Amino acid sequence: MITETDRRHLTRCVELAHEGVSKGHAPFGALLVDRHGKVLKEDYNRTGDGDVTAHPELALVQWASLNLSDEDRVAATVYASCEHCPMCATGHAFAGMGRIVFAISANQIDDWFREFGSGGFPFELVTVRELLPDLEVDGPDETFSEEMYALFKHVFAD
């Protein structure tokens, strides 16, 4: 269940997605929040610099792996403008991270990519719930669909 606190964090993720786009990257943003609600780190997609793996969700997991205890990682929440891809979800699992909350789903993104003529994902679409069935996952939240659709259209439409 997505709460108003979750929506506030998701709003920041969407702002970060806009920031990333303004700097030449894809429209993704993410936050790492500890068990007390403190934002520990935030990031946006940086694939425009040439590293196709520079996803913000993975960057936050990598930071958490180096800076948080096992107990703090499992108690943390990763908020994301978009559902984790399989690469980010797998990193999340290997690091022993906690809850994931996302604004829009991978299925929505896949539909949009196809609508915009930019093809689908370069992998078999697997949702984070399918890949990590024992993890607490909340999303999508329709509050953000229109804004994220417009942002994806701006970036990916032919």
Side-chain angles (χ1 to χ4, degrees):
M1 179 171 144
I2 294 179
T3 67
E4 286 308 311
T5 298
D6 293 334
R7 276 195 190 91
R8 188 177 76 248
H9 290 310
L10 289 174
T11 297
R12 179 62 185 142
C13 292
V14 172
E15 290 170 354
L16 289 164
H18 280 280
E19 185 177 340
V21 168
S22 75
K23 295 179 180 178
H25 306 290
F28 300 88
L31 300 176
L32 177 63
V33 178
D34 73 10
R35 73 180 85 219
H36 306 292
K38 178 183 176 190
V39 176
L40 300 174
K41 190 142 181 81
E42 61 181 36
D43 204 357
Y44 52 81
N45 183 285
R46 296 173 188 276
T47 57
D49 292 337
D51 179 358
V52 297
T53 68
H55 296 192
E57 302 86 359
L58 189 58
L60 296 181
V61 167
Q62 291 167 333
W63 182 89
S65 293
L66 297 171
N67 293 283
L68 299 179
S69 68
D70 293 348
E71 295 80 20
D72 288 339
R73 285 196 306 273
V74 77
T77 300
V78 174
Y79 290 91
S81 59
C82 305
E83 183 174 4
H84 287 36
C85 72
M87 175 184 69
C88 294
T90 303
H92 192 100
F94 275 120
M97 301 296 293
R99 181 176 178 232
I100 294 173
V101 182
F102 59 88
I104 61 168
S105 73
N107 286 317
Q108 287 172 289
I109 297 167
D110 192 54
D111 289 345
W112 297 345
F113 282 163
R114 292 175 194 289
E115 177 185 334
F116 304 148
S118 56
F121 288 111
F123 50 81
E124 183 68 32
L125 182 60
V126 179
T127 69
V128 73
R129 285 182 180 93
E130 292 169 322
L131 195 56
L132 308 176
D134 297 327
L135 187 69
E136 182 180 358
V137 177
D138 289 298
D141 185 336
E142 290 305 312
T143 305
F144 303 96
S145 292
E146 232 177 85
E147 182 176 2
M148 288 301 293
Y149 174 84
L151 191 56
F152 270 75
K153 186 174 184 178
H154 169 75
V155 173
F156 293 107
D158 287 339

